[in-house]
Amino acid sequence: MHVSIVVPTYREALNIPELTKRIDAAMRPTGHTFDLWLMDDPSNDGVEKVVRDLGYSWVHLVTRTPPRGLGFAVLEGLRKAPGDILVVMDADLSHPPERIPDLVSAAERPENDLVIGSRYAPGGTIAGDWSLLRHINSRAATLLARLFTWVKDPMSGFLAMRKDILDRAAGDLDPIGYKIGLELIVKCRCRRVAEVPIHFSDRQLGKSKMGLKEQIRYVVHVRRLARWKYGELARFAEFGIVGLTGVFVNLLVVTLVSEQMSRMGFAASARLNTAITLAVFASMTTNFFLNRMATFSDKATKSLGRAYLTFVAVCLIGGVVNWWTTKRLATEWHEITLGLQIAALCGVAAGMLFNYAGARMFVFRTKRT
Ligand SMILES: Nc1nc2c(ncn2[C@@H]2O[C@H](COP(=O)(O)OP(=O)(O)O)[C@@H](O)[C@H]2O)c(=O)[nH]1
Ligand SMILES: [Mg+2]
């Protein structure tokens, strides 16, 4: 078996000597042939000279051309590398090279689709003091990943797999997926994922490149994966989330308008009529724009004004559907405890389904070219 190790790098020249030395020491005793692919986004940090001076024939430095980015670098490396077993890891030595042989032997077993170097598997550890914020971030990201997998450390960037597993996804891999493990689990349909515990060290040299931008990118990634895996259902869920934000807009507007008008001395009925009407239109409007930007971002509308009016019309009919459903069921269930509330929930569901279908068919129906 030939093992290829793919490492995305950006300004990691300082870490390359120790990384390669430790990989060499770890891999030699295994008897596997191996090579290393440093996928460098032009760092201008002298990494070329560092690699040349090391003089290892098994180390390949690829200076990438745009588009730059971690996801692009890893994918390009995975496609380029000749190994029967492919390993992905970071350059900053947070992933211990000494564990590569264990990952490789787990990946060799035909029953494993993917092997993860795992911080959270029994025996895995994390070095140093993570700030509370870093913990919360990591946990929240893992929670989102639960849409797709139950593995303990889906965020890990330390992975091993056989080439044939990668080939399953062929052209489907999406490089915005810089959480490459999650991307592979979903797109290569990895059902059997083994986790090898690792000690995750803190980077000693150089700087982390992960910031808010990467976190936003992760949410976009999760959304794309959900669309890929769950199709229409994921779109409907997004529509629901947008609807939920609409509830808050509605509450905010109804409160503000009503308070303002009561201060101005309006009578109760005029105040309520105005406040409720404005609140309904405000939430329909924010819902329209959010759906246009998110839920149906792949769909174009012919003209904004017409799309908006159609959306409002659909929602108003949806409101009637909600009203009618609730009334019918509430009449039927008037003797059941919470009958009215359950009926109202059914009404909301019916109205929402109607709105979704209407928006899909009449408002956002054309494909964006
Ligand atoms: N090629 C490439 N590699 C990158 C880029 N951003 C980060 N990396 C590499 O990806 C790995 C993980 O990045 P790091 O900054 O350590 O992320 P963190 O561990 O989440 O803080 C390291 O080996 C980086 O050098 C990039 O834009 N392009
Ligand atoms: Mg790191």
Side-chain angles (χ1 to χ4, degrees):
M1 286 274 185
H2 183 71
V3 178
S4 287
I5 302 160
V6 173
V7 175
T9 57
Y10 181 63
R11 307 222 166 126
E12 300 284 5
L14 289 174
N15 287 312
I16 303 305
E18 183 174 347
L19 179 74
T20 48
K21 204 175 83 208
R22 284 169 63 183
I23 290 177
D24 194 45
M27 288 305 292
R28 261 184 212 293
T30 65
H32 292 302
T33 53
F34 60 97
D35 51 20
L36 173 68
W37 297 81
L38 298 170
M39 307 303 297
D40 192 62
D41 270 319
S43 303
N44 297 317
D45 60 349
V47 65
E48 294 83 359
K49 183 171 179 333
V50 170
V51 169
R52 225 179 304 119
D53 289 351
L54 282 166
Y56 287 127
S57 60
W58 50 273
V59 176
H60 307 275
L61 174 69
V62 177
T63 305
R64 301 193 58 250
T65 49
R68 46 192 317 152
L70 176 50
F72 285 101
V74 172
L75 275 193
E76 191 186 333
L78 286 173
R79 294 199 174 115
K80 212 173 217 114
D84 310 298
I85 305 273
L86 302 166
V87 175
V88 180
M89 67 189 295
D90 288 357
D92 60 0
L93 296 163
S94 50
H95 301 144
E98 293 69 32
R99 300 299 276 154
I100 299 174
D102 286 338
L103 264 76
V104 168
S105 43
E108 277 176 322
R109 268 177 243 130
E111 69 266 24
N112 291 332
D113 291 336
L114 180 71
V115 183
I116 294 180
S118 173
R119 297 165 290 182
Y120 303 126
T125 49
I126 298 180
D129 338 298
W130 275 25
S131 67
L132 183 65
L133 190 68
R134 192 166 172 199
H135 269 295
I136 293 173
N137 267 331
S138 177
R139 289 292 165 180
T142 306
L143 198 67
L144 262 186
R146 291 285 170 258
L147 285 167
F148 314 105
T149 175
W150 289 100
V151 302
K152 298 200 174 59
D153 194 0
M155 298 295 116
S156 173
F158 193 12
L159 311 158
M161 71 200 305
R162 293 185 306 281
K163 183 100 173 172
D164 60 288
I165 304 282
L166 180 75
D167 292 341
R168 277 189 205 165
D172 263 356
L173 293 173
D174 181 348
I176 197 190
Y178 83 102
K179 287 299 176 189
I180 195 74
L182 197 59
E183 177 79 11
L184 293 172
I185 288 174
V186 176
K187 301 270 176 83
C188 302
R189 302 173 203 278
C190 296
R191 268 186 286 129
R192 292 152 307 179
V193 180
E195 291 187 76
V196 171
I198 61 159
H199 172 70
F200 185 88
S201 315
D202 261 343
R203 106 171 10 254
Q204 302 297 326
L205 302 170
K207 272 204 306 230
S208 166
K209 287 91 198 170
M210 297 303 149
L212 182 66
K213 215 169 107 196
E214 307 312 316
Q215 283 160 14
I216 293 170
R217 202 172 286 170
Y218 174 63
V219 175
V220 176
H221 184 202
V222 166
R223 182 176 161 234
R224 285 196 192 176
L225 285 177
R227 278 284 174 87
W228 191 89
K229 186 162 178 185
Y230 302 114
E232 196 69 29
L233 200 64
R235 197 197 284 276
F236 184 62
E238 261 176 60
F239 189 77
I241 295 170
V242 168
L244 219 54
T245 67
V247 172
F248 288 103
V249 170
N250 188 297
L251 290 178
L252 187 74
V253 172
V254 89
T255 313
L256 292 180
V257 173
S258 153
E259 276 179 7
Q260 182 61 28
M261 286 180 77
S262 100
R263 237 176 278 131
M264 289 160 72
F266 280 92
S269 83
R271 199 183 63 196
L272 279 183
N273 284 339
T274 316
I276 295 171
T277 309
L278 285 179
V280 166
F281 274 93
S283 54
M284 277 195 300
T285 305
T286 53
N287 279 0
F288 172 75
F289 283 103
L290 284 177
N291 279 321
R292 191 164 183 270
M293 273 158 41
T295 321
F296 296 104
S297 57
D298 54 333
K299 309 275 180 194
T301 49
K302 284 205 184 70
S303 95
L304 189 64
R306 259 183 70 179
Y308 176 70
L309 291 179
T310 318
F311 185 80
V312 168
V314 166
C315 288
L316 291 179
I317 304 172
V320 175
V321 170
N322 178 345
W323 187 91
W324 184 83
T325 310
T326 308
K327 179 137 190 230
R328 269 296 298 270
L329 294 176
T331 317
E332 200 131 317
W333 296 340
H334 70 279
E335 279 170 18
I336 306 175
T337 13
L338 290 180
L340 176 62
Q341 285 70 23
I342 301 171
L345 283 179
C346 294
V348 169
M352 190 179 145
L353 262 175
F354 181 90
N355 284 353
Y356 181 73
R360 183 97 166 80
M361 282 188 299
F362 302 115
V363 187
F364 302 102
R365 61 182 159 187
T366 34
K367 215 165 179 82
R368 184 161 287 175
T369 44

